[in-house]
Amino acid sequence: MKKSSGGAAEKKRVRRSSAPDLTSDAPPKKQAVKKDVYQVFAEKVRDHKELVSRWAVLQETRVEYFRGKDFVNFLKNHPEVKDILESDRNLETEDIANILLGKNLLVRCDRVVKTLRPGKKKLSTWPAHLEIFPEQVFSENDAFFAWTFVKRHPLWQTLLSFFWPVLTLAICLFPVYPHSCKLLILYSCAGILFLILTLLLIRGTIFGVLYILVGKRIWFFPNILAEEATLRELFRFWPKKDEEERPKWTTRIFYAVVAVLFILLLRHHAPDEAARARYQKRVSNIIDDVLEWSPSLALSGMMDKQQNATNATGSSDAASQGSTAGPGHEAPTDGNDEKTFSEQYNTEEVIDNIVDVGEEDIQYD
């Protein structure tokens, strides 16, 4: 009995000793997986504003890419970024880039168009279409490298993604807005559209005049119509350097003659004052119909249609009753009323046309 009680006591001691001590400060055996330092390094470099990059299409996918020589210059001017690599901070730029290629954080690309276009002296600095290069090795000479991981979106982009559905719903509810809000939205959109068209017209006019007179291809706001440009590059004002050959004087004279003929053609077919007034009246009527529409007017219009349908049904019933009563008791038909209404509508149109024709005759006289 003593031996059995002693064995039970030893088992209790073993169980107590094997139980984990929750009060101790020792770290747990299972630790969180540490993030790859090269992943952090790649995200840091990509988010840095000093590394020049562009957007292009790679196998039907838009990617952000940079040039090899720009990557070398960036690490040369910002060596503190290498501190993220910890023990590998002393590696050469080429070795770091090759490790990024091996971890599939980068992919080397090449331009799709490798031939010069007519009138060009050299290939485009930033091609819009890329393809994967066969040898995935870092190089500075005419080499492009695209990021393969998804960039983290900032907070404002996340908020903007939630704002778009609200904006879409607000656009759909435009007909039920108050009249003052409709006017504000209409004039704001018309002003923005007028500003865009005026900017494009002035931009094209300056380009045409300088091309014909000086022989230079100068585009102000050069990226205003570019699809792969960022928001900051989109509104860049100063033009790029003209790297193409100067056009021949015969070409410039030809385009000058074409421009003069085009202006004369537009002037010849320009609408007169009466036609312009008619177009303005029609457009203003359409705009007024859109601005003055409201659910109450729509419901009242539906009620009027229903009332007219009821009246038409009643008149048809009366006519049928008159026909059954006999030829001596025929009810008067509504043909005169319909004719009077149609004649009144046609008379208004004729009066408007006579006024327009009279204005045209006065102008020609």
Side-chain angles (χ1 to χ4, degrees):
M1 294 294 295
K2 292 183 178 180
K3 290 183 179 180
S4 60
S5 61
E10 289 180 359
K11 289 181 180 179
K12 290 181 180 180
R13 291 175 185 174
V14 171
R15 288 176 184 174
R16 290 176 182 175
S17 62
S18 61
D21 189 3
L22 299 178
T23 59
S24 62
D25 297 333
K29 295 181 179 179
K30 189 176 181 180
Q31 297 180 351
V33 179
K34 189 176 181 181
K35 196 172 184 180
D36 188 8
V37 292
Y38 283 94
Q39 176 73 33
V40 179
F41 173 79
E43 293 176 356
K44 182 71 173 180
V45 173
R46 186 175 183 178
D47 294 336
H48 207 287
K49 297 181 179 180
E50 295 297 327
L51 180 63
V52 183
S53 62
R54 294 290 188 277
W55 288 85
V57 178
L58 174 64
Q59 295 180 351
E60 301 180 357
T61 305
R62 294 188 75 248
V63 294
E64 185 180 6
Y65 73 100
F66 58 88
R67 298 181 298 181
K69 59 181 181 181
D70 293 334
F71 184 74
V72 174
N73 295 331
F74 170 76
L75 292 183
K76 187 182 297 184
N77 297 329
H78 300 278
E80 69 277 1
V81 181
K82 292 184 178 181
D83 295 339
I84 302 174
L85 300 178
E86 298 176 354
S87 60
D88 295 339
R89 66 171 63 93
N90 296 324
L91 292 177
E92 297 293 333
T93 303
E94 183 176 356
D95 298 333
I96 295 175
N98 288 327
I99 294 175
L100 293 176
L101 290 171
K103 291 179 175 292
N104 293 327
L105 296 173
L106 285 178
V107 59
R108 183 176 175 179
C109 307
D110 194 9
R111 61 179 77 243
V112 175
V113 180
K114 301 179 178 64
T115 57
L116 291 173
R117 290 187 298 174
K120 289 281 188 178
K121 295 182 180 180
K122 61 179 184 178
L123 295 173
S124 176
T125 306
W126 298 97
H129 297 273
L130 300 173
E131 61 183 3
I132 297 178
F133 194 72
E135 299 179 2
Q136 293 296 312
V137 182
F138 181 78
S139 176
E140 298 183 37
N141 302 323
D142 197 26
F144 306 99
F145 300 90
W147 301 106
T148 57
F149 59 91
V150 180
K151 187 178 180 180
R152 292 180 300 174
H153 296 288
L155 179 61
W156 68 271
Q157 289 186 358
T158 305
L159 296 177
L160 188 63
S161 63
F162 287 102
F163 174 72
W164 281 121
V166 178
L167 180 61
T168 304
L169 182 61
I171 293 173
C172 296
L173 295 177
F174 174 79
V176 299
Y177 285 173
H179 190 267
S180 57
C181 295
K182 290 181 180 179
L183 287 177
L184 178 62
I185 295 173
L186 175 65
Y187 289 129
S188 300
C189 295
I192 294 173
L193 181 61
F194 179 76
L195 178 63
I196 294 174
L197 295 178
T198 304
L199 177 62
L200 295 178
L201 181 61
I202 295 175
R203 179 175 176 262
T205 304
I206 294 175
F207 174 82
V209 171
L210 294 179
Y211 181 84
I212 294 173
L213 298 180
V214 186
K216 294 288 186 181
R217 301 174 181 86
I218 299 176
W219 285 107
F220 291 97
F221 294 100
N223 300 324
I224 195 67
L225 299 177
E227 296 181 358
E228 66 277 0
T230 59
L231 187 62
R232 196 166 107 188
E233 297 170 354
L234 195 65
F235 297 99
R236 193 176 61 133
F237 176 76
W238 292 110
K240 297 179 181 179
K241 185 179 179 181
D242 187 11
E243 300 176 352
E244 301 181 9
E245 296 181 359
R246 189 172 182 177
K248 299 178 181 180
W249 63 272
T250 54
T251 306
R252 293 156 57 188
I253 292 176
F254 172 76
Y255 283 115
V257 172
V258 171
V260 172
L261 292 177
F262 181 72
I263 294 173
L264 293 177
L265 184 66
L266 291 179
R267 185 177 179 183
H268 177 71
H269 291 281
D272 54 7
E273 188 65 23
R276 187 198 62 79
R278 286 200 304 271
Y279 298 151
Q280 183 179 2
K281 184 178 179 180
R282 291 176 184 175
V283 173
S284 62
N285 290 337
I286 294 173
I287 294 176
D288 291 340
D289 291 340
V290 174
L291 293 178
E292 294 176 359
W293 186 92
S294 65
S296 59
L297 291 176
L299 293 175
S300 63
M302 293 174 63
M303 296 300 293
D304 293 339
K305 290 181 180 179
Q306 187 175 1
Q307 187 67 27
N308 293 334
T310 305
N311 294 335
T313 305
S315 61
S316 61
D317 293 339
S320 62
Q321 290 177 2
S323 61
T324 54
H329 300 82
E330 290 182 357
T333 60
D334 295 334
N336 294 329
D337 297 336
E338 295 177 357
K339 184 177 180 181
T340 304
F341 177 76
S342 61
E343 286 179 356
Q344 183 181 359
Y345 181 77
N346 294 330
T347 303
E348 292 179 357
E349 286 189 350
V350 171
I351 291 173
D352 293 337
N353 294 332
I354 291 173
V355 172
D356 295 337
V357 172
E359 293 179 356
E360 293 179 358
D361 293 340
I362 293 172
Q363 182 178 1
Y364 289 131
D365 292 340

